[in-house]
RNA sequence: UGGGUCAUGGCCAAGCGGUUAAGGCACCGGGUUUUGGUCUCGGCAUCCUAGGUUCGAAUCCUAGUGCCCCAGCCA
């Protein structure tokens, strides 16, 4: 296969239409160098959808040996907070991207924007509007009916200048006036029907304080900010496609550097929601414990759950960039996660749902330290030792009294291997008065120490186990999808919240886990990946978050 | 009955007039395996519909159909 077809040679990044555009623009000399930006509004935490945008913008910059700015779109002080800029910077950094010196704020440009506005007023391209919000809406017309001109549309330049000056000084009440661009009230594109550029907002701004009484709207601030920063390609999501003519109009009227806006489809993931509004609701209504709840699709939540930056970046590259609305199967995220965790997680043994096993022919009071590899995928991870004794726990579902033929775990009379330890055979099943199995009796073969037999005997099943005497009781948090519907956005999210999205259990783990440090990645053998919770763990009392289960073809087949 | 997009296998997504129509996920089957994990091998589409142009069309044209977005002084 010709690699050129699918890959940008320098970068090995997958081909997509944005890269194609950039190549064309570069070739045509439209732009001499590439310069991108990631422009979050600091009104919420970043989520996996933002991660895709971050990977795209910073990834493009890496490919073209260019810079990607981090710019906070802080034009609406009534919704924005410093707490969010803090978290956004942390998340971008954690994902592994470095914006160096180029950390900007739209509010850095408020003075320049104001000067630009005066320029437009002087050119007769903007005017002060006295109509209120409702009237403006009425005058705007509808999707199928053209709007009509405001009675204030033809004020003189002098009057507009004076009124705008007064707006700026705070002489008018909020809502009483706005500055509008004078474009075309009959345009089929509603964005071109004299869009609002400035509104009066007597609100404290997290950076400019009380200096401003008027704040620019997105359309007025964004393109000009791009222009000021010398952005070549301004990448945003599909819903801004209709704004592109306006974006272009402003920079053309102003006669300033003209970036190219390119839109792509935002990421949708099954069994979760991506809208900031809905995520905020989950937080405010306490459906989750916070923005960093491990069930949240926020970067902070994923990080706490045990995702790695590599997994998220790999996922972002994997889903691609296009203009078609799509819903990515959450399984694809899990696949990227497992791929990375498989390489780095230390293998340990933990029994989540224990059943007691007594090995009758093993000497009472004896303990052996058995050697165990930490990661078969990574020899440098080394080895450790695990205590073995007469009484152990195994997983409840690793035993079946009436086992089907293909079941190769423990059953009466059957022999299995205890990982790193011995072969055992089940000799007896002990039940309580209700018939519930409470204990298993087994015998072991002393000749199989380490889990090997030299007589060529075949043992199909291998179980994990924990010595009862040495077990650490660990709090383990098992997570599942937050929603029961693949597309919770289709209806009201409250109606499909998954009541079982969190289950807290006490697991029996091998003793070494008592000293697990926050931030360590583990694989509980045969079960899944677990991550030491960074918030609630205490020294000597780590709490484990289930990041994702191992692929389980047995469970899949047998429900 | 306005405007702007999009449409390739179950889910993403390459493809830009000549390819056996990439790749990943999922799924199915074989092998390896002290994790029913990993790894490995193999299987899995004729491109929304209908016409047309062409020696040749997923790629061009025409007409349909369907999805999404837009009527904030939000971004």
């Amino acid at each position: 296969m010709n690699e050129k077809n699918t890959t940008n040679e320098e970068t090995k990044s997958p081909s997509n239409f944005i890269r194609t555009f950039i190549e064309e623009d570069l070739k045509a000399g439209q732009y001499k160098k590439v310069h991108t930006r990631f422009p979050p509004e600091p009104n919420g935490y970043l989520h996996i959808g933002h991660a895709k945008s971050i990977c795209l913008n910073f990834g493009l910059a890496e490919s073209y040996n260019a810079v990607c700015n981090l710019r906070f779109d802080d034009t609406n002080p009534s919704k924005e907070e410093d707490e969010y800029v803090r978290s956004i910077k942390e998340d971008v950094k954690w994902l592994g991207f470095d914006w160096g010196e180029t950390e900007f704020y739209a509010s850095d440009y408020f003075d320049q924007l104001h000067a630009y506005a005066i320029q437009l007023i002087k050119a007769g391209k903007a005017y002060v509007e006295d109509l209120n919000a409702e009237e403006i809406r009425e005058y705007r017309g509808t999707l199928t009916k053209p709007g009509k001109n405001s009675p204030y549309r033809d004020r003189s330049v002098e009057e507009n200048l004076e009124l705008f000056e007064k707006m700026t000084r705070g002489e008018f009440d909020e809502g009483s006036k706005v500055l509008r661009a004078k474009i075309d009230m009959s345009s089929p594109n509603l964005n071109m029907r004299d869009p609002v550029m400035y509104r009066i907002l007597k609100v404290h701004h997290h950076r400019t304080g009380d200096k401003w009484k008027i704040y620019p709207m997105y359309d007025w601030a964004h393109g000009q900010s791009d222009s000021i920063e010398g952005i070549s390609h301004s990448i945003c999501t599909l819903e801004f496609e209709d704004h592109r003519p306006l974006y272009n109009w402003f920079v053309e009227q102003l006669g300033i550097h003209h970036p190219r806006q390119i839109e792509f489809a935002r990421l949708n993931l099954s069994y979760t929601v991506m809208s900031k509004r809905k995520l905020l609701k989950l937080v405010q209504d306490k459906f989750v414990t916070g923005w960093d709840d491990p069930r949240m699709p926020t970067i902070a939540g994923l990080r706490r759950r045990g995702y790695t930056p590599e997994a998220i970046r790999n996922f972002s590259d994997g889903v691609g960039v296009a203009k078609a609305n799509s819903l990515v199967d959450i399984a694809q995220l899990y696949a990227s996660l497992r791929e990375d965790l498989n390489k780095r997680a230390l293998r340990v043994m933990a029994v989540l749902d224990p059943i007691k096993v007594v090995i009758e022919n093993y000497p009472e009071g004896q303990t052996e330290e058995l050697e165990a590899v930490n990661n078969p995928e990574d020899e440098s991870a080394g080895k450790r030792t695990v205590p073995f004794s007469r009484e152990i726990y195994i997983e409840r579902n690793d035993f079946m009294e009436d086992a089907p033929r293909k079941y190769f775990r423990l059953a009466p009379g059957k022999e299995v291997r205890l990982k790193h330890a011995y072969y055992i055979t089940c000799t007896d099943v002990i039940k309580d008065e209700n018939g519930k199995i409470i204990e298993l009796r087994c015998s072991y073969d002393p000749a199989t120490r380490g889990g090997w037999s030299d007589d060529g005997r075949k043992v199909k099943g291998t179980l994990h186990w924990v010595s009862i005497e040495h077990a650490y009781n660990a709090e383990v948090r098992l997570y599942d999808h937050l929603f029961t519907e693949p597309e919770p956005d289709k209806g009201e999210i409250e109606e499909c919240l998954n009541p079982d999205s969190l289950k807290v259990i006490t697991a029996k783990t091998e003793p070494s886990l008592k000293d697990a440090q926050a931030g360590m990645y583990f694989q509980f053998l045969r079960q899944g990946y677990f991550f030491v919770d960074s918030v609630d763990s205490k020294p000597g009392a780590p709490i484990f978050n289930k990041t994702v289960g191992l692929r389980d073809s047995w469970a899949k087949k047998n429900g």
Side-chain angles (χ1 to χ4, degrees):
Chain A
M1 188 75 241
N2 183 351
E3 208 180 329
K4 252 169 145 179
N5 284 342
T6 54
T7 305
N8 288 54
E9 286 177 290
E10 336 80 78
T11 62
K12 296 226 180 62
S13 295
S15 164
N16 63 53
F17 76 101
I18 294 179
R19 285 177 182 270
T20 304
F21 284 173
I22 291 177
E23 300 287 349
E24 288 167 0
D25 287 346
L26 253 19
K27 192 169 293 175
Q30 183 66 239
Y31 301 101
K32 284 207 286 291
K33 60 176 175 44
V34 173
H35 197 155
T36 57
R37 105 266 92 115
F38 172 63
E41 182 190 12
N43 70 342
Y45 276 57
L46 261 25
H47 54 62
I48 181 84
H50 292 111
K52 174 176 173 178
S53 175
I54 291 166
C55 292
L56 214 205
N57 279 295
F58 280 92
L60 251 16
E62 274 171 14
S63 298
Y64 293 99
N65 208 270
V67 173
C68 177
N69 296 355
L70 174 62
R71 180 172 73 237
F72 292 93
D73 225 331
D74 56 352
T75 56
N76 187 354
S78 55
K79 289 180 11 189
E80 296 151 5
E81 293 172 26
D82 261 337
E83 152 70 358
Y84 294 129
V85 346
R86 200 218 88 249
S87 74
I88 289 168
K89 289 202 272 189
E90 181 184 0
D91 290 347
V92 174
K93 216 173 288 176
W94 179 75
L95 280 173
F97 296 106
D98 181 12
W99 58 90
E101 303 297 303
T102 59
E103 174 180 326
F104 301 123
Y105 296 78
S107 54
D108 293 342
Y109 314 130
F110 282 177
D111 284 303
Q112 178 64 259
L113 252 16
H114 190 262
Y116 282 154
I118 289 172
Q119 183 183 335
L120 285 193
I121 293 172
K122 285 180 174 166
K125 301 287 186 184
Y127 64 96
V128 172
E129 172 66 274
D130 288 8
L131 259 28
N132 65 34
E134 194 183 327
E135 291 165 330
I136 288 179
R137 192 185 334 120
E138 284 162 10
Y139 274 75
R140 184 154 35 224
T142 69
L143 294 179
T144 50
K145 277 192 290 262
K148 50 186 194 207
N149 288 172
S150 162
Y152 303 97
R153 196 172 198 261
D154 293 315
R155 293 218 244 231
S156 67
V157 168
E158 292 67 33
E159 188 183 4
N160 279 319
L161 248 16
E162 188 186 327
L163 288 172
F164 185 54
E165 171 60 21
K166 287 183 176 172
M167 275 175 68
T168 305
R169 283 204 303 263
E171 294 183 19
F172 300 123
D173 291 337
E174 284 190 15
S176 65
K177 285 184 170 45
V178 292
L179 183 73
R180 292 231 252 172
K182 189 191 287 190
I183 308 180
D184 178 7
M185 289 305 291
S186 65
S187 171
N189 180 348
L190 304 223
N191 293 115
M192 300 300 272
R193 321 242 261 228
D194 291 11
V196 172
M197 296 165 65
Y198 276 103
R199 75 288 214 184
I200 299 169
L201 240 37
K202 297 184 176 175
V203 179
H204 185 85
H205 187 279
H206 74 119
R207 302 205 96 217
T208 61
D210 298 311
K211 175 178 178 184
W212 295 92
K213 312 300 176 197
I214 59 171
Y215 290 93
M217 298 287 290
Y218 167 85
D219 285 306
W220 173 237
H222 198 89
Q224 282 49 256
S225 299
D226 284 341
S227 179
I228 291 166
E229 292 177 13
I231 301 304
S232 62
H233 300 269
S234 178
I235 295 159
C236 62
T237 43
L238 250 31
E239 66 270 27
F240 292 103
E241 218 154 14
D242 286 342
H243 294 241
R244 193 169 65 229
L246 177 55
Y247 184 105
N248 293 339
W249 190 88
F250 279 133
V251 290
E252 279 160 17
Q253 295 303 318
L254 258 14
I256 55 180
H257 169 68
H258 191 159
R260 195 224 293 207
Q261 175 178 304
I262 303 172
E263 313 85 11
F264 72 99
R266 60 161 14 113
L267 173 71
N268 296 299
L269 256 190
S270 60
Y271 295 101
T272 191
V273 294
M274 226 57 106
S275 104
K276 273 199 224 174
R277 207 198 93 241
K278 287 171 183 166
L279 294 176
L280 214 210
K281 184 174 172 57
L282 291 172
V283 172
Q284 286 178 335
D285 294 354
K286 307 255 193 275
F287 289 129
V288 294
T289 58
W291 286 101
D292 69 344
D293 187 299
R295 291 166 291 181
M296 291 283 273
T298 50
I299 308 293
L302 298 173
R303 176 169 59 231
R304 189 170 164 194
R305 171 88 165 245
Y307 279 70
T308 61
E310 288 75 9
I312 293 173
R313 292 173 69 157
N314 177 275
F315 168 75
S316 295
D317 290 344
V319 296
V321 181
K323 297 194 72 161
N325 289 313
S326 58
L327 178 69
V328 176
D329 190 338
I330 188 90
Q332 189 147 355
L333 215 209
Y334 295 156
S336 292
L337 221 205
R338 292 192 188 103
E339 183 185 345
D340 188 50
L341 258 14
N342 178 51
K343 289 179 293 192
R344 70 207 305 168
L346 299 177
R347 271 62 170 177
V348 293
M349 295 194 287
V351 176
L352 268 28
D353 183 14
I355 181 169
K356 180 179 177 180
V357 172
V358 178
I359 301 163
E360 293 183 305
N361 60 337
Y362 192 88
E364 278 185 59
Q366 178 174 311
T367 296
E368 282 179 271
E369 289 291 333
L370 300 170
E371 194 173 66
V373 294
N374 289 326
N375 186 353
E377 306 291 319
D378 176 13
E379 212 172 306
S380 72
K383 294 177 177 172
R384 72 185 184 289
T385 222
V386 186
F388 183 81
S389 64
R390 188 167 189 267
E391 297 188 348
I392 61 172
Y393 291 118
I394 65 167
E395 212 68 57
R396 183 148 224 119
N397 68 9
D398 278 341
F399 175 81
M400 256 186 138
E401 206 169 7
D402 298 301
R405 217 176 60 251
K406 299 280 278 183
Y407 184 85
F408 45 80
R409 276 113 99 144
L410 198 60
K414 270 191 69 177
E415 184 172 54
V416 297
R417 168 169 42 236
L418 293 178
K419 180 85 177 174
H420 309 305
Y422 293 97
Y423 290 0
I424 58 168
T425 302
C426 179
T427 53
D428 202 5
V429 180
I430 298 176
K431 300 176 183 173
D432 65 12
E433 54 278 14
N434 302 317
K436 188 187 178 198
I437 299 171
I438 52 171
E439 185 180 311
L440 301 173
R441 293 275 162 164
C442 293
S443 64
Y444 86 118
D445 179 353
T448 57
R449 193 175 198 272
W452 287 108
S453 161
D454 4 317
D455 62 7
R457 191 174 1 146
K458 277 214 314 205
V459 175
K460 189 75 173 151
T462 301
L463 311 187
H464 60 278
W465 52 273
V466 167
S467 165
I468 292 180
E469 183 193 340
H470 306 88
Y472 164 61
N473 290 316
E475 176 174 335
V476 172
R477 298 172 178 176
L478 303 172
Y479 298 104
D480 196 358
H481 303 146
L482 245 189
F483 301 98
T484 54
E485 293 295 322
E487 295 183 76
D489 270 325
K490 285 283 188 219
E492 284 305 308
I493 58 172
E494 295 90 329
E495 284 164 21
C496 58
L497 278 164
N498 179 5
D500 299 319
S501 60
L502 169 62
K503 266 187 228 148
V504 180
I505 62 170
T506 300
K508 306 289 184 180
T509 81
E510 59 178 86
S512 66
L513 285 193
K514 191 174 191 320
D515 299 313
Q517 304 293 306
M520 292 180 78
Y521 299 95
F522 291 101
Q523 183 196 103
F524 288 2
L525 230 48
R526 304 205 303 135
Q527 306 198 94
Y529 296 99
F530 291 78
F531 186 65
V532 180
D533 190 83
S534 56
V535 175
D536 296 329
S537 295
K538 303 273 186 297
I543 291 171
F544 297 89
N545 292 323
K546 180 174 184 180
T547 310
V548 66
L550 250 31
R551 198 174 266 113
D552 188 346
S553 54
W554 170 253
K556 203 167 278 171
K557 228 180 227 168
N558 298 274

